[in-house]
Amino acid sequence: MMDARIIDLPKFLDRRGNLSFIEEENHIPFKILRSYWIYDVPGGEKRGGHAYKENQEFIVALSGSFDVVLDDGTERKVFHLNRSYYGLYVPKGLWRQMENFSTNSLALVLASTPYDAQDYVFDYNEFKKDK
Ligand code: TYD
């Protein structure tokens, strides 16, 4: 859990509209091999509910807000994301769930590995016994 953290991104405030950006291996500590986004989440739904063996992620609320719940098998922490100029770095090996999505929220997820179904741990007890 130690390494999970909110990372502030550069922010160019401008009366024409604001701009932020992310550079791999600079603002976030990994090379981006995949990007995906979660949108149109119905009220009350949860996403995630698994761990990754190797994949690291950086999650940004590009629009709206949601909570990311992280669990290292001992400690559980809730991060509320609601601005597009910061995000949550999620190291490998943490149980993670996303919930409390606001209407029209948009979650951008940058990932350190290509999609690999074998990298998922879906069973919480299996996750916990490896800790
Ligand atoms: P999943 O990671 O299980 O979503 P969540 O953790 O938010 O509940 O992914 C849902 C489906 O999308 C699953 O069938 C696999 C597919 N998928 C890909 O094909 N590529 C990807 O990069 C991701 C994240 C998911």
Side-chain angles (χ1 to χ4, degrees):
M1 187 68 90
M2 290 297 287
D3 288 341
R5 61 185 183 276
I6 294 289
I7 296 178
D8 288 317
L9 299 168
K11 170 165 78 167
F12 287 85
L13 301 181
D14 192 310
R15 59 184 170 76
R16 299 170 301 157
N18 303 332
L19 182 149
S20 287
F21 64 96
I22 304 167
E23 291 172 353
E24 60 184 4
E25 297 180 312
N26 181 7
H27 307 104
I28 57 173
F30 59 83
K31 225 173 144 44
I32 301 165
L33 291 200
R34 177 167 51 113
S35 306
Y36 63 94
W37 43 100
I38 297 170
Y39 52 98
D40 293 347
V41 179
E45 282 296 341
K46 297 180 175 181
R47 303 288 316 212
H50 54 69
Y52 300 111
K53 295 173 201 161
E54 288 303 326
N55 187 42
Q56 308 167 57
E57 289 188 333
F58 185 68
I59 305 174
V60 186
L62 285 187
S63 182
S65 66
F66 49 85
D67 292 337
V68 184
V69 184
L70 298 183
D71 178 339
D72 64 3
T74 310
E75 189 192 353
R76 194 169 164 277
K77 247 174 132 168
V78 182
F79 296 87
H80 184 63
L81 301 185
N82 63 353
R83 292 283 182 267
S84 55
Y85 51 78
Y86 66 78
L88 177 65
Y89 170 61
V90 183
K92 66 180 180 181
L94 292 180
W95 193 264
R96 83 160 189 41
Q97 181 150 291
M98 297 164 73
E99 57 192 44
N100 289 329
F101 287 88
S102 69
T103 304
N104 288 330
S105 56
L106 170 59
L108 172 69
V109 186
L110 305 178
S112 70
T113 65
Y115 176 70
D116 175 8
Q118 303 302 317
D119 192 46
Y120 284 67
V121 183
F122 285 115
D123 180 344
Y124 186 79
N125 290 324
E126 188 192 325
F127 164 76
K128 185 111 179 161
K129 105 177 131 41
D130 287 341
K131 293 288 140 194

